[in-house]
Every structure is written in structure tokens, then in C-alpha cells.
Amino acid sequence: MNRRTFLTGTATSVAIGRRRLLRAAASAPVITAAGLATPSTAEAAPLPLTPPDSVDYEDVGDSIIQASAPTIANVRLKLGPDGVYTFEMPRLEQGTGIATALAMMIAEEAGVTLDKVKVHSADAQPNLEAGQITGGSCTLRAFDPYIKEMVLRARAAAGLPPQAGAPADPAQYQVIGKRYRKLDARDIVTGKKRFTMDQDVPGAVPTMCRMPSQIRGTVVSVNNLDAVRKMPGVLDVVVVPAGGFVVKIPPAVAVMAETFGQAYDACRALDITWGDGNMRGQSDATIQAQLKAAIAPLVDSPPGTMTVEGEFEWPAATACPLEVECAIADVRPGSAEIWAGLQSPIITLQSTAAELGLPESSVTVHCIPSGGSFGRRLFWDPVQVAAQVSRLTGRICKLMYHRSDDIRHTRLRPPQYHKVRAALNPPTPLTPGNVLSYQQHIGIVRLDARHGFGNKGSAVPAGTPPDAIQTPVNQEYEEAFFDTMVSSPYNFGANDKAIYPVALEMNTVSYRSVHIMPARTCEEIIVDEIAAALHRDPVDFRLEFLRLPRAKAVLQRVAGAAQWGKAMAPGFAQGVGVHMESRSFSAAIVELDARDPLNCKVTRVTLVIDVGKPVNPSGIEQQCHGGIAEAISLVLKTGLTIRDGGVLEGSYNQYTFARMVDFPKAVEIIIMPNLGDPIAGMGEVAMSAPAGAIANAYARATRIKPRKFPLNARPAFTPTPPGQLPVPPTV
Amino acid sequence: MPTYNFQVNGEPVSVDAPADLALLWVLRDKLGITGPKYGCGVNVCKACTCLVNNKAVQTCVTPVSSVAGKRVVTIEGLADGDTLHPVQQAWLDLDVPQCGFCQPGQIMNAVALLKTKRNPSDADIDAIENICRCATYGRIRQAIKNAAAAMP
């Protein structure tokens, strides 16, 4: 599974599959490859990445495309007598604009205007098997090869001959490449767009819950059940039972009331004795120490070479979509109906059926467009809670987490510790120097990937045995994600990137960009430090060492557009970052005001992106804006604090994601033209180039090496006591 | 349970509710007006922002008793029939929304800002605290300026 290799004691590189072997290699006597220590003209050129990056040949998007392919004929696109195509999109529209872009691709292929394409969110459709998961920034990539066939089938079903099809020459496109607003933009600005909690389900009862004082703590007792049941508006109070198919049902005490306000008041009034979770006693420092200890030692640089190295700490982070986790569940004796925003609706249906003891054919799951997601809704825990509450009370449960629990008991981007070491041939009067090897070993809290490809066939093996914190199949998935997502853009010779998952019972998830953004940000920082060690300009150095022409092209373009190297006032600096992900290429140059190194501000961003086949420039720009805000937030501003087994932050004033004042007023997004390259991914891919650029600007402005994130001081706050909900302030 | 009379989007309403019930839940759970969103419950994210007597108010921390006799406007009451409010139109023209969840609060806050400042400065816009997790901030800034220019 691990396709990275490492230069061993011979001059040849050999593939070493498993970390066990890497450890053996690392513990071997210091490795020297004869001749490498003495620079020569021949060695000064960039060494080819060895082995070639496996992501070039198969990435996570490819695997999702391949998983979707066998059932693509079950995807529903219908042509009505009014000439309107109706698409039941088997993906979650979470704000990334996939519905609009897919509609544009259908319109182009069908030769109709965009108003002749309607997109609905498909219910969980088990006959799609592994073909209904939203993730990996590959939705447009996954459908692009099949749009022709889908339109053909829709026309055949309507008794019409095959379509002429999209023009072969991108210059002739009528819809693709033009700017369109989101299909639901008017509904949004008029308040008509209905999210899960806005669904009109008659009889659905507002429900909120309390969650334990520690991550996956337990409910020992509820000490004032009768008193809370008598509170105004309260209809029922239930302890959510333990259990769970594939993943555990979250521990909680739920209150149903006539209004959410009353449910909230009753939740706060509950006197609950909480039991410990398995994270008891764990705090950021203990977690980071375990991660650091899990990493096999890096191999020493050969004698005569220079070493550039660094160790980096990233805290846990939360996706914190603005729509809190929520679900509606109507569980009857022989059936269940669910409404929720879901990235994995099929396994949600299948596990709900298993947890309720119902046949799968009796469970309906409506997938509702969500208010953000960023990976969070790959798991379906609010559905698990709502279904149990509905089952126990006989009422329709309309469940919403409080924001505080949405942060404290959410699924986290795993905390991680990176060790990076590059060995360089130093420059000589005759040669400019080059990079012999690059190692990056990452200790990381195990990533929960038990959703698999969103169906039972792939999720159940990952969830077996059920009580394991890390199952063998889950670890295979995590390593596969790492190996098929984290790409190396540079010719740095022997290349070794590896993860060392540490099994802690934290709720983790593939937060936006998963392993990529932290790994690539660390690499971009080291790239700047290598360039400095070789006395090279960061942009010139990258242009020489980037492996692929499209990566060089975006960098050249951004360097010109951002006036790389222009004079900056003291305390200000430019920084650069380059990235490739999901077949897209991006490069960013930022300007940073670092006069106060503990309160840096990004003042300008220029971001160039090459997505191969740009579908909707307006949507691409929006996703780039999102990537910039993610980068500002995670590099400079925020992260979660874990203390005694629980998360301290409870809202956006404590988990300080970027606000208006943090978003630079000068942002330029440049989309490279369609030159006939294959369609590439977008959603997550714009985070990493600006993240690297911000960190590098920080280093250049402050002369402080960025090592521990976030770089700015985080605001002090008084946390709500663990296991409690905040008291709403009065205005 | 006391009864409160006030106006919502130009219509008189009469609601039986506990005095301290937040206006957000009166609107959403009792009146079925779902434009205002819950995002935090503690006056931090501002997704629940509505107008009360032309001022931006965070309805998640506004007791219903405090709006008795007042005029409440939600995102649903902003347009004049099919004619959008200039702020809504500016939002649409610039394709501001991404997921859209925070946008009712963002728009109501912008409307309130433009009622007090005809031509808000960048500093005025920087003071907007509404969270947008998708990061529509750049387009919101421009949309507010465009709306300011378009308003009579």
C-alpha cells in the first residue's frame, strides 16, 4: 500500500513497501551512496523524483471514479416532454458548486441552455453501491467521462436520436467556461433555500442534546430527569443508547421540546454524571509527544552533504460548517425515513437499517444540500442519534447539535507531527547545488475512514472488529489516502513520505484536503529553506526543480502577476507556494503584514490555478476564496485545544476561523485557459499553495521559522465547563 | 403563557410564548419562517440576524418579549414581490453565495449597515462579524459597495 521508496545503501533506489522495512532501513548503519558526497557538474541538475510519484498514475479521485463507474447506468438523468433534463445528482451539494457545474456539463453535451437542466439531490440510492460518495474533490472528474452516455440514455428513453454532443474544440463551447451564478442563488438570497432543519416534516419535534465532558465519555446517570421532564415545553428526555453498526452511536442525553429554545433550556438544566472516555488525561502535549515518538527516525544525510530539516506541529482542527450537525428521523415499527446532509448516504441508510433492526428496503434517506461540510458529513452521527431518539420516543425527531457540542464532539482533522529532512549537495563555484533526498515522516492520530466508499461492502470491513480504535482495513484506507493524495511536485531525488498513525479514540475525519494541506505546507516551508541554503531565489529555485511543465507555468504566471520580488516595507514580506492535487496545479504569492509576529495579517493574495477544463469560472474563484480563508485560518489563526480528554473551544469566538476583517481586500484569482487537458479537481485543492505562501511570507518577514501552527497568538478565553452548554448572553 | 403581538414582514402576528424564548425560535418553530438560521446560539456567528425596527438584531439572543409591538423583517420580507432589494440584487449579480447558509444573516446585516451608512468604508465592512465558513467575504465586500451605489 505504501508506495514511497527510499534510497538505500546502494546507488539504486528500491521500493520498500512497509514502514516496518523503512524502520529497518533507518536503523541500518549510516547510508552513503558512493560518489554522492562529492558534487560534480552532472549531479548539480535536479535529480528525478525517485521513485516517480505514484499519485501521477493513480490518485484518490481516480479510485472514486473507478468505484462509481460500474453503476453509472443507475444514475438518473431524465428528459421531459418540455425539453428539460432533470438530474438526480448522487452527490451532496455542500456549497462547492457541483450542482451548477454538472448542470453546465449536461447542457453543453445536450446542446441546450442552462435553464433546460434541473438538478435535484438524489435520495440514498443503494443500487449505486460505491458510486454515491462525495469526497476527494473529484465530482466533476467522476462524471465527465459519462455525461455523453447519460444524455444519450435520457434522449433514447424520450424516443429521441443521439445528441450532436459537446464541441470537440473547447473554443466552441457554449456553456462550459462561461460564468454562471449558482442554480440556487436566487433561493438563497430570498431565504427560500431549505436546509435540513428547514424541511417541512409535519410532526417533527425539535430535539437537542447534551454530550459528555470528554471525547466519547459516557452517561453514568441523569440526576434530575423528572424535574427536567416537567419544564415548560419539554416533551421527552432520553438517554441515547450505546451501540452502532460500522461506527458507534455518540453518547448523549436528548431533550425533545415544543421549540428548540425550550429544548436548549432543558438541556442546560440537565444534571448529568459523566463517565470518562478513553482520551481521559490526554492533552495537546501528551498527544503530540505520542505522535513524535511514533515516527521512525529519519535517515541521516550522507557525509559531505548539507541538511535542511524541520519538525512541525499541527493541532486538531474542526470543519465547523455553519450548519451544525443535524438530522430528521421518522422511525416507525416497520420503516424509517431520514433527512440529512450526507456525503455517504448509502452507508447511512444501511447502518440505520442495521441499528434499527429494519430491512434496508424499509429505510428511505433523503440527502439534503448542506450548509457546508468540508468532509464532516462523511459520517452520519446525527442520523444515528436522531434515529434512536425517534425509536425510543415514537416521535419524529428533528435533531440539532448545539454549536458547542458540534465543535467539542465533532470529527476532527487529526493532530499531527511532521519530521522533514532534505539532503543537499552544497553549491560550489562550478555547480549550483541540488537536492539528493527528501524525507517527510508524519505521526498522526489515526484517521477514521470507516465510511469506505460509502457503502456496506467497503465500510463494514473497515469497521471490523467493531470496538477497535484502529482496524487493519481502516489503516489500509488511511495509508491509501495518503499515498494517493499527497503528491511531490519537485525533483528532489530519493523521496520518502510516510505516515505513522497512532490509534487514539478521537473522532477524526477527512477534514478538507485530509493529509495534503499540512504535509504540503511543511514541504513548501522546507523548499524555501533549501533555496536559502543554496543561495537561490525561492521562485527561481522552484522553477528549476518543479517536475511538471504545468506546475512551472502556474508559478511563472503568478510571479509575474504578483510582481514577485517587489520592494516591501519593513515587517512585510511576500511568500510563495506551489501545489498539485487532484490533477490541478496551483501557485500563490501572498503579501503578509507581520509587523506583529503574533498577529500577522494577509494583505494580498494572487492565486493562479490550472484545472485543465474550467467549467464555471465563478465557482472556481469561489473555491479559491475558500482555500485562501482555510489557509489563513489554519496557518495563522486557529486550531483546537485538547485538555484532559476533551476539546475546550465551543464557538467561533474561540475557534477563530477567518472573518471579514481577516480576508485580504486584494485577491486576484487567475484561471489558466482550457488547453485541452483533462478535467481536474477543485473543491479542496486551493488550500495548500496559499498555506505554503503564508508560512513562507511569515519566515521572510520575521526571520522566525514557522514550526508550530497556528502562528498567531490565539485569543485567551474562558471555556464553558466540560460537559455543559454555554449560557446564552442576554442582549 | 403570555401573548406577544408584533409585526413580521409587514403582517401582524400574535404568538403565545414564554417571555424569554428567543425570537429565532419563535420565527422558526412557531411561525415557520426558516430564513433566519441557527449557527451558534450565543451571538457569535450572526447567522440569525434580522431587522427589528430597522436595526440588525441577533435573534438567537433576543427574547420575544423585547419585540412586542415592533416591526421584524426577515430575509423573506426583504424583496418587494419579485423585485429584489438592491442588496439581494447585488448579491445575485456577483454570485456571492456558496452553500448559502450564512447568507440571510449576511444580507440582513448589510441592509442594516446601509441604513446607517450610505457609503460604508472598508473599515465599516471589516467590522462585520458574520461568519462565512465558505469565505464569501471578498464578494460580500464588493456587493455591499455595489448595493450602496445602486440604492436611491
Side-chain angles (χ1 to χ4, degrees), chain A residues 553-566:
Chain A
V554 291
L555 177 57
Q556 275 167 328
R557 184 72 192 271
V558 80
Q563 299 177 279
W564 173 252
K566 74 180 181 184

Side-chain angles (χ1 to χ4, degrees), chain A residues 579-655:
Chain A
H579 183 57
M580 46 195 252
E581 177 178 343
S582 194
R583 305 282 187 263
S584 287
F585 297 83
S586 52
I589 290 177
V590 307
E591 296 179 12
L592 189 75
D593 174 355
R595 286 173 295 177
D596 176 356
L598 292 176
N599 187 23
C600 299
K601 269 185 62 70
V602 176
T603 57
R604 176 182 291 271
V605 178
T606 311
L607 176 62
V608 178
I609 187 150
D610 174 356
V611 294
K613 175 178 170 179
V615 175
N616 184 4
S618 178
I620 292 169
E621 288 170 13
Q622 288 177 317
Q623 292 311 295
C624 290
H625 294 164
I628 290 165
E630 294 265 10
I632 291 169
S633 300
L634 296 172
V635 174
L636 291 179
K637 289 185 59 74
T638 199
L640 290 173
T641 312
I642 297 171
R643 188 175 300 163
D644 196 20
V647 172
L648 292 189
E649 286 78 4
S651 201
Y652 293 107
N653 54 343
Q654 299 167 353
Y655 186 74

Side-chain angles (χ1 to χ4, degrees), chain B residues 93-144:
Chain B
D93 291 344
L94 281 179
D95 191 22
V96 170
Q98 292 188 34
C99 80
F101 195 84
C102 75
Q103 299 297 335
Q106 301 276 8
I107 289 170
M108 299 312 286
N109 198 68
V111 168
L113 175 63
L114 290 168
K115 282 182 189 293
T116 57
K117 305 233 174 172
R118 289 292 303 268
N119 289 295
S121 66
D122 274 326
D124 294 327
I125 296 172
D126 278 344
I128 295 174
E129 292 185 340
N130 296 52
I131 298 278
C132 174
R133 185 56 186 78
C134 305
T136 58
Y137 299 121
R139 288 188 178 178
I140 288 175
R141 183 182 298 279
Q142 190 58 47
I144 291 173

Side-chain angles (χ1 to χ4, degrees), chain B residues 30-121:
Chain B
K30 289 187 174 280
L31 300 172
I33 296 170
T34 56
K37 302 296 189 236
Y38 169 89
C40 71
V42 290
N43 190 17
V44 165
C45 80
K46 319 283 181 184
C48 63
T49 303
C50 294
L51 300 185
V52 175
N53 284 2
N54 284 328
K55 286 191 178 141
V57 159
Q58 280 67 54
T59 57
C60 77
V61 290
T62 301
V64 62
S65 54
S66 72
V67 301
K70 294 185 178 171
R71 287 169 288 121
V72 177
V73 179
T74 73
I75 187 79
E76 289 93 338
L78 206 53
D80 180 8
D82 283 341
T83 307
L84 296 179
H85 185 282
V87 171
Q88 292 171 306
Q89 189 62 49
W91 246 246
L92 206 53
D93 291 344
L94 281 179
D95 191 22
V96 170
Q98 292 188 34
C99 80
F101 195 84
C102 75
Q103 299 297 335
Q106 301 276 8
I107 289 170
M108 299 312 286
N109 198 68
V111 168
L113 175 63
L114 290 168
K115 282 182 189 293
T116 57
K117 305 233 174 172
R118 289 292 303 268
N119 289 295
S121 66

Side-chain angles (χ1 to χ4, degrees), chain A residues 77 85 87 102-111 117 147 150-151:
Chain A
L77 177 69
Y85 288 85
F87 179 39
L102 286 172
M104 290 171 67
M105 291 159 69
I106 291 167
E108 186 71 58
E109 174 62 28
V117 183
I147 296 276
M150 285 161 49
V151 171

